[in-house]
Amino acid sequence: MSAIAREAGALLLQYFHQGLKIEYKGDADLVTAADRASEALIRERISKQFPSHDVLGEEQGLNDQGSDYRWYVDPLDGTTNFAHGYPVFCVSMALERRAPQDRLSGQQGRRIAGVVYDPTRDELFTAEQGRGAHLNGEPIHVSKAGQLKECLLATGFPSHKRHKNPNIHFYHQITLHTHGVRRPGSAALDLCNVASGRFDGFWEFNLNPWDTAAGVLIVEEAGGKVSRFDGSRFELDSRETLASNGLVHDALLREFQEIFAGRGLDPLPEPSEYKR
Ligand code: IPD
Ligand code: CA
Ligand code: CA
């Protein structure tokens, strides 16, 4: 997996240095030739080594052969950054196993391995279920921050339907209670940065399974916690992702509860107040 991710990452870098034409999938949803070339390469490598495995990739969708194994592939996470020449993007791949008895009983599969590769920094994040998480082969662990007021967090905003997303309220409120909230533009890397202790937590609405499958396993294997916004169990189709070092998870859940209930919100100042 690592070799495939590194190869796809090197391909992305070639395109990055070359400059690219931006195309639109939706109003503000970008795609480039690099997204497609990276996915084609990854699929080719997987099908050569594991011809019976299923693959769900962002650009080509699901190839379902009824296998117990399914790969989740985001060939380029951070396309908007990439297309603007901002060097924050990665390749994300995860492998899930769903035993036949799980499938019959409607059980979710188990993520057994995940890899996220950032070619701009040559950083390879890896995790295997039950065997910890690593960055370039060295073990990594989530941070030890125990209070929100000492935390640096990250979030993201989906590229489409931004006007229907309540996240701006969460961004505002949680910014006021922490060291700050970054919005780097690659959810898979945000999760890896929680795993390696650079961020103490991360949340986002409406992510897709290919954004989260690898990063969530990497956070969990690094000792962190991932849930929905009400604290319930995270599943790949949850559409709510809250990851943290585990120590500030309850405090974040309380913030979410308050914001959803509309309680204790600090009002945004009117532009005229700034002028004064
Ligand atoms: C996007 C990035 C971004 C997040 C968006 C995702 P893409 O993935 O992960 O950080 O805010 O919600 O769609 O489209 O660049 O693969
Ligand atoms: Ca993505
Ligand atoms: Ca993508």
Side-chain angles (χ1 to χ4, degrees):
M1 257 178 129
S2 296
I4 299 174
R6 279 187 182 280
E7 210 186 339
L11 182 71
L12 290 182
L13 262 196
Q14 277 176 22
Y15 276 96
F16 187 67
H17 292 310
Q18 209 166 284
L20 275 178
K21 199 172 110 231
I22 301 176
E23 296 163 45
Y24 288 85
K25 285 201 262 194
D27 271 359
D29 200 1
L30 313 184
V31 65
T32 69
D35 299 67
R36 287 193 279 261
S38 172
E39 183 158 331
L41 181 145
I42 293 169
R43 281 182 185 268
E44 202 275 330
R45 298 295 185 266
I46 295 173
S47 72
K48 210 177 225 165
Q49 293 182 56
F50 310 101
S52 64
H53 287 191
D54 296 341
V55 179
L56 172 64
E58 178 175 11
E59 306 306 331
Q60 289 184 37
L62 176 64
N63 161 27
D64 188 353
Q65 311 185 78
S67 167
D68 291 353
Y69 292 93
R70 179 182 288 185
W71 294 65
Y72 290 89
V73 176
D74 192 339
L76 167 47
D77 185 51
T79 297
T80 305
N81 290 341
F82 184 94
H84 286 268
Y86 180 60
V88 178
F89 56 85
C90 66
V91 177
S92 173
M93 301 185 333
L95 181 60
E96 178 188 78
R97 177 155 196 270
R98 203 167 168 204
Q101 63 271 25
D102 291 343
R103 218 170 315 140
L104 286 175
S105 62
Q107 283 254 28
Q108 295 269 335
R110 283 185 304 156
R111 289 176 292 284
I112 57 177
V115 169
V116 172
Y117 181 55
D118 170 357
T120 72
R121 289 175 180 73
D122 190 26
E123 288 192 335
L124 182 77
F125 296 89
T126 54
E128 230 183 298
Q129 193 192 31
R131 294 191 169 191
H134 295 83
L135 166 53
N136 289 346
E138 297 294 325
I140 49 173
H141 207 270
V142 291
S143 75
K144 294 189 165 61
Q147 294 186 63
L148 271 191
K149 63 177 188 211
E150 51 181 351
C151 285
L152 182 65
L153 301 168
T155 188
F157 292 80
S159 44
H160 59 294
K161 296 196 178 150
R162 277 177 290 201
H163 57 296
K164 290 198 179 147
N165 200 294
N167 202 25
I168 199 71
H169 299 286
F170 288 73
Y171 184 86
H172 172 63
Q173 200 66 12
I174 294 173
T175 294
L176 298 176
H177 297 172
T178 58
H179 282 173
V181 181
R182 300 288 179 260
R183 192 269 188 261
S186 164
L189 280 180
D190 293 339
L191 286 163
C192 291
N193 285 325
V194 173
S196 55
R198 295 166 177 169
F199 291 142
D200 307 293
F202 161 76
W203 80 90
E204 188 162 340
F205 290 80
N206 283 328
L207 286 170
N208 287 296
W210 49 80
D211 299 309
T212 53
V216 163
L217 180 69
I218 295 171
V219 169
E220 288 170 343
E221 287 296 325
K225 185 167 179 178
V226 186
S227 74
R228 292 187 175 116
F229 296 157
D230 61 359
S232 61
R233 194 184 146 89
F234 172 87
E235 305 288 359
L236 282 184
D237 55 4
S238 290
R239 318 297 296 178
E240 292 179 1
T241 312
L242 172 61
S244 80
N245 64 4
L247 301 173
V248 293
H249 211 83
D250 286 346
L252 281 168
L253 288 173
R254 274 195 300 278
E255 289 280 335
F256 275 70
Q257 220 176 14
E258 291 299 290
I259 302 169
F260 275 127
R263 283 193 294 262
L265 292 174
D266 292 276
L268 282 161
E270 291 294 318
S272 58
E273 291 179 53
Y274 287 116
K275 203 167 168 226
R276 267 209 307 281

